[in-house]
Amino acid sequence: MAFNTLATGIRMAGDRGFESEVLTGGDWFARAPEYLEQLSESGPFRLRISLDAEHQRTVTMDTIHLLIDTALEKRIPIGFTLRDIPGIEPSPRTLRETVLQRHPMLENLSMGSSRLFHVIPTIPPSPAGPAADGIANTKSVGSITDPGPCRLGFRDLVIGPDGRVYPCCGLFGLGIDDHIHAGSALTDLPASPDILRNANPLFPSLLHGGAVILAKKHGWKPETDLGTGYVSPCHACRSMLPFLIN
């Protein structure tokens, strides 16, 4: 049922002139490789493969390599989302090198696309421990570090599990979904990511100022109203928005 829904979504998006991205860990490919062919017949999409230490505990690199070979053979656009999990190997750099060593033809694609290997941070539940970029967090709990404007969201249209459109894959499911979505399913998609950026007054504030600046504009003092530090822009955004929006 989930696969049929995915294929239908790709077809509906394609009919409206959009190219979808399917983000996957790839574990299904070992059991049902025919799904890839069926998806390719549904409409245009890019296969985006998640590579990180957690996924690779259950999905072997042999399966990933075979999935890559099959996608390239079928001329399906491909990409990778790599996540840096502090203190856990393999790192995004190691995984990238592993992929390129087995599939050197991707090196040329990488030179022309900054999104072929897209590295995202781990969003920690608290400021304790190393930062998402691997640099130790020397700020003590109770301190406030402004991580600056959003640098990771607003690149694509992201459809959450509720069928709504969001500016990134980290904002839905926070309990404030009614206030931070920019559309209602495939029948109400914005025309482009550029329009999405202005679909909600909140979005330009996050894009150009960031969560801390947004809080201060609303008269909220992060250093006293929420005693915690932030190790990444995503962490700040997820930590603060539920307190700002109700």
Side-chain angles (χ1 to χ4, degrees), residues 52-177:
D52 57 54
E54 289 185 349
H55 280 90
Q56 270 51 72
R57 288 194 182 107
T58 56
V59 185
T60 68
M61 285 305 297
D62 286 341
T63 297
I64 295 299
H65 290 316
L66 184 57
L67 175 57
I68 294 171
D69 283 334
T70 306
L72 291 174
E73 179 183 341
K74 297 182 180 301
R75 299 183 181 276
I76 296 173
I78 198 169
F80 304 89
T81 290
L82 302 98
R83 185 161 61 101
D84 189 9
I85 306 177
I88 303 178
E89 293 291 336
S91 67
R93 175 177 291 183
T94 298
L95 288 167
R96 182 180 185 276
E97 291 174 349
T98 299
V99 168
L100 290 178
Q101 184 175 12
R102 176 72 176 266
H103 312 278
M105 72 288 296
L106 292 174
E107 185 71 62
N108 291 334
L109 294 177
S110 179
M111 297 296 291
S113 173
S114 62
R115 296 287 316 280
L116 182 66
F117 292 97
H118 182 206
V119 180
I120 63 174
T122 292
I123 304 174
S126 71
D133 58 5
I135 300 174
N137 178 25
T138 57
K139 300 291 184 180
S140 62
V141 175
S143 66
I144 293 295
T145 301
D146 182 358
C150 177
R151 298 186 299 275
L152 298 172
F154 303 92
R155 297 180 178 183
D156 305 285
L157 303 177
V158 179
I159 300 176
D162 59 3
R164 292 170 169 175
V165 183
Y166 295 89
C168 76
C169 59
L171 282 186
F172 50 78
L174 297 181
I176 53 174
D177 305 56

Side-chain angles (χ1 to χ4, degrees), residues 20-43:
S20 303
E21 277 199 347
V22 176
L23 179 64
T24 177
D27 61 321
W28 52 270
F29 188 73
R31 303 186 306 272
E34 67 275 9
Y35 281 0
L36 191 62
E37 177 69 30
Q38 294 174 36
L39 287 179
S40 68
E41 296 171 353
S42 299

Side-chain angles (χ1 to χ4, degrees), residues 5 11-12 15 20 24 53 65 77-78 92 112 130 136 145 166 168 175 189 193 195 199 203 222-223 226 229 231 245:
T5 301
R11 184 164 52 254
M12 291 175 66
D15 290 344
S20 303
T24 177
H65 290 316
I78 198 169
T145 301
Y166 295 89
C168 76
L189 280 173
I195 292 180
F203 298 163
E223 61 273 15
L226 182 62
V231 297
I245 301 173

